[in-house]
Amino acid sequence: MQQSARWKTFSLWLVLAASLLVLLPSLLPARMTVGLPGWMAGHRLVPGLDLTGGSRLVLEVSRSDIAAERLRAAVETIGSTLRAARIAHSDLNGAEDTIDVTVTAPDRLDAARTALAGLGLGALSEPESGKFRIVLAADAVDSAASAASLGAVDAVRRRVESLDIPELVVARGERDRIVVSMPGLTDPQRVKDMLATVGKLSARLVDDSVPLDTAIEDGVPAGSEVLYSTGEPPVGYVVRQDDLFTAVDVASAKPAPNDEPFIEFVLKAGAAEKLAAFTRENSGRTIAILLDGQVISTSRIQGAITDGVGRLSGDFDAEGAANLARIIASGPLPAPLTIIEERSIEPALGTTSATTVVVALAVAIVAVVAFMTFFYGVLGVIASLSLAFAMVLSFAVLALVGAPVSLSMIAGMVLTVGIAVDASVLIFERIREEVKGGRELSRSVLVGFRRARATVLDASVTMFIAIAVLFLLSAAPVRAFALAVGIGLFATLVTTFTLTRRLVTVWLNRSHATHLPKGVRTGLFDRLNLRFMAVRNGVFLLTAVLSLAIAGLLVAGKLRLGIDFTGGAALEVQAKAGNADLDDITARLNDAGVDVLTVTKQRDARHALVRLTSAGEGENAEQTSVLVARGELEDDYDFRRVEVVGPAISGELIDTATLGFVVGLLALIAYIWVRFEWHFAIGAIIALAHDVFFTLGFLALAKIEFNVTAVAALLTIAGYSLNDTMVVYDRIRENLRHFKQMPLPILIDDAINRTLSRTVLTSATTLIALAALALFGGEAIGTFALTLLFGVAIGTISSIYIAGPILILFRLQPERYRPGKGGKGPATEATGANG
């Protein structure tokens, strides 16, 4: 036994040492980590963009452009195939995913059928004799989009790297999207301009065999087409469809020296020879340079170009020439890209957020430690040491995972601080109860840890279910929060039943104590003996009235949906001089054609939050609104934070948030249904609905935006509420086994009073931590903390005044409860499953 204890102690010290070793690179300045081994330096805790400042763009391959290009290529393939087979045809056209063609030679129908089927473009049918219809394969666009996305990652990286952005990260995200993270860059407009151009460069000969007007009215000659310039007004040109050279043939491109508005480029050897031969034979004719199907420059051939060197000028300034040179040099994108989400934050604001949230974490830890020490004395110190161990272990795991440390992640750690001592409180209260029942202290410690284990696990499972659903079915910030809470809860469970138990045992052995330490002050709750069920009818009536009022608020549309669900843009601006003029901002943006939703004051008179809706339809409409707003306001205001959410992202967030919330609630309800009788499950469901509904009412009254983080808060509140309810129900179930003749209201009152100290203390530590986050966490995370703060408070109330009375309402009777139903049978009394 002694040997086993030594091994356990050694293992704990080993885990602590390993955790500190993992965290060492994060604790040292960057210059001091140069000599560390790669496996250590590679696991630093890296702050996210919301803590350092910078921009994050989410790009998506334009499926509509891919589908249009696929349709155009299919039409050309069908036309060339029929011409090659000498099959006369007419009315060849395509729309969406369908192509129609009429074969005008009746004797060539079989040949046409064979030729079209052999192309393998899709399903072939004949609506009527001589008319063929090809429906293109549905999965072809998906495959093309996925392939284009894969190629676009490298193309985007090459193009953006040319801007020399430090610590740039370009990676493939979910749903074949591309994520571009740019620490320190608060205005990504230049990057967006670079990515708005596909970069398909080509040179073609201008067709001067027919005037432009004639070509437009009577049709262009075969092998030519009409294209227009990029300038205003656009100028039309008739150009040949054959390329003299393309971007692939360009060896290098760079802007002209001295900021002159043109580009110098050099062709590869093969293309240079081809151009030399062509220009030698076509002196005096005109070459058009095209970029993405538009004419950006024209030049007359003066003679043979033998060196493969060219100069490109057009309707752009020196900066435009530099950007265009980078686009040409980096090569074309495989497909057009659409910016569907943008998040930008000023470095100063990020630094402020980092400072405030770290202060909130420190305040929460100190406050919880002080609270536990006051109520439990030396046992509280032991719980605090375990909490510190759990925090070190949690941050070490986060470092190993490699996830960037964000505001939401630290918020998750703050919440963990509040609920981490729950297990210790459950155990200490059980120990105190065993001592009060006449057991000696050493025996009470053993029994207390054993009997509290099942309740701790039951309560933890509800939180783990909620956190797992949040992680699997939510947006990135919510996943970061869920990851932090999940790791923190796991670390807490590990330390509670290893370190806490070991430290309590060491204290007992060294102090030879026979009684609880005098510092344990939770006995004051024993004398209360409150009659909670006596006021249940009044509570039900008050709840019904408040529920009707909340329903009225929600029906009246008082719950403000954030841009996560509505789409649009949110801009936080700060006046460069004086105060922000809300009316002037609104008027200026409206005059510029921007649809302003709201302009509200933020923090102080210098700051304002501008909410914009999209200026038109399509994924890029929100970007247009932001671009116009920047142009109108940037002379008088600094843009501290920019968030843009396109329709694709907002739609997905609605779907995932709804699915996640429903799945989470069903999983929580299923767990309770399995662990308890149906009466308990119904009670938990109603208490859960009460907490969620009242929290929605709070959001509406407080005018807090309902966004993805609010959904995360609701599901976290649901998990916490059930956590509390499970402890009460565990004790009610134990009373049902022992007191079969006791009236149910008195039995429930006894169970609530016996767990009241745990309920009050655990809720208090959680509320203390959340209050620290709300007060010191800054505005970026404050509303989230405030929502959790209200939810935890209302959840504590419902576990007493809703979950218990519901059992009476559904006529749960003690004499009908038998061992083995909803519990572990007679063995439960021996092993203990209650708090």
Side-chain angles (χ1 to χ4, degrees), residues 143-212:
S143 300
S146 181
S149 172
L150 189 60
V153 173
D154 290 332
V156 168
R157 183 181 294 111
R158 287 195 307 269
R159 190 170 292 186
V160 181
E161 279 178 347
S162 66
L163 295 174
D164 297 325
I165 299 173
E167 301 181 54
L168 170 73
V169 177
V170 180
R172 201 177 190 199
E174 298 175 347
R175 301 174 187 263
D176 293 331
R177 289 167 179 156
I178 300 104
V179 180
V180 183
S181 298
M182 299 161 284
L185 183 67
T186 56
D187 183 4
Q189 189 58 49
R190 194 176 182 187
V191 175
K192 292 190 287 184
D193 290 341
M194 292 275 288
L195 298 177
T197 303
V198 174
K200 290 185 177 179
L201 182 80
S202 63
R204 296 184 186 178
L205 184 66
V206 174
D207 188 347
D208 52 11
S209 65
V210 59
L212 176 65

Side-chain angles (χ1 to χ4, degrees), residues 279-334:
T279 53
R280 189 178 296 115
E281 298 171 1
N282 291 275
S283 181
R285 301 189 69 178
T286 303
I287 292 179
I289 304 297
L290 311 180
L291 184 67
D292 295 345
Q294 290 183 294
V295 179
I296 61 172
S297 178
T298 59
S299 60
R300 188 171 295 275
I301 302 173
Q302 302 296 333
I305 303 174
T306 58
D307 57 2
V309 177
R311 174 179 288 190
L312 178 60
S313 61
D315 187 23
F316 44 76
D317 55 15
E319 183 177 345
N323 285 341
L324 186 55
R326 292 186 178 95
I327 291 172
I328 295 172
S330 62
L333 301 173

Side-chain angles (χ1 to χ4, degrees), residues 695-767:
T695 304
L696 288 174
F698 169 75
L699 292 174
L701 280 175
K703 297 181 179 180
I704 296 174
E705 285 189 354
F706 185 76
N707 49 28
V708 171
T709 57
V711 175
L714 286 177
L715 200 50
T716 305
I717 289 165
Y720 184 89
S721 173
L722 288 180
N723 178 314
D724 210 10
T725 301
M726 293 282 278
V727 174
V728 175
Y729 276 180
D730 259 345
R731 185 53 67 99
I732 292 175
R733 187 170 60 177
E734 181 181 355
N735 281 359
L736 284 169
R737 293 191 181 98
H738 292 299
F739 310 111
K740 294 187 175 63
Q741 302 304 317
M742 181 182 290
L744 190 56
I746 297 176
L747 184 146
I748 294 174
D749 277 340
D750 178 77
I752 295 174
N753 277 290
R754 284 174 178 264
T755 57
L756 188 61
S757 55
R758 176 267 170 196
T759 299
V760 172
L761 293 176
T762 301
S763 298
T765 56
T766 306
L767 292 173

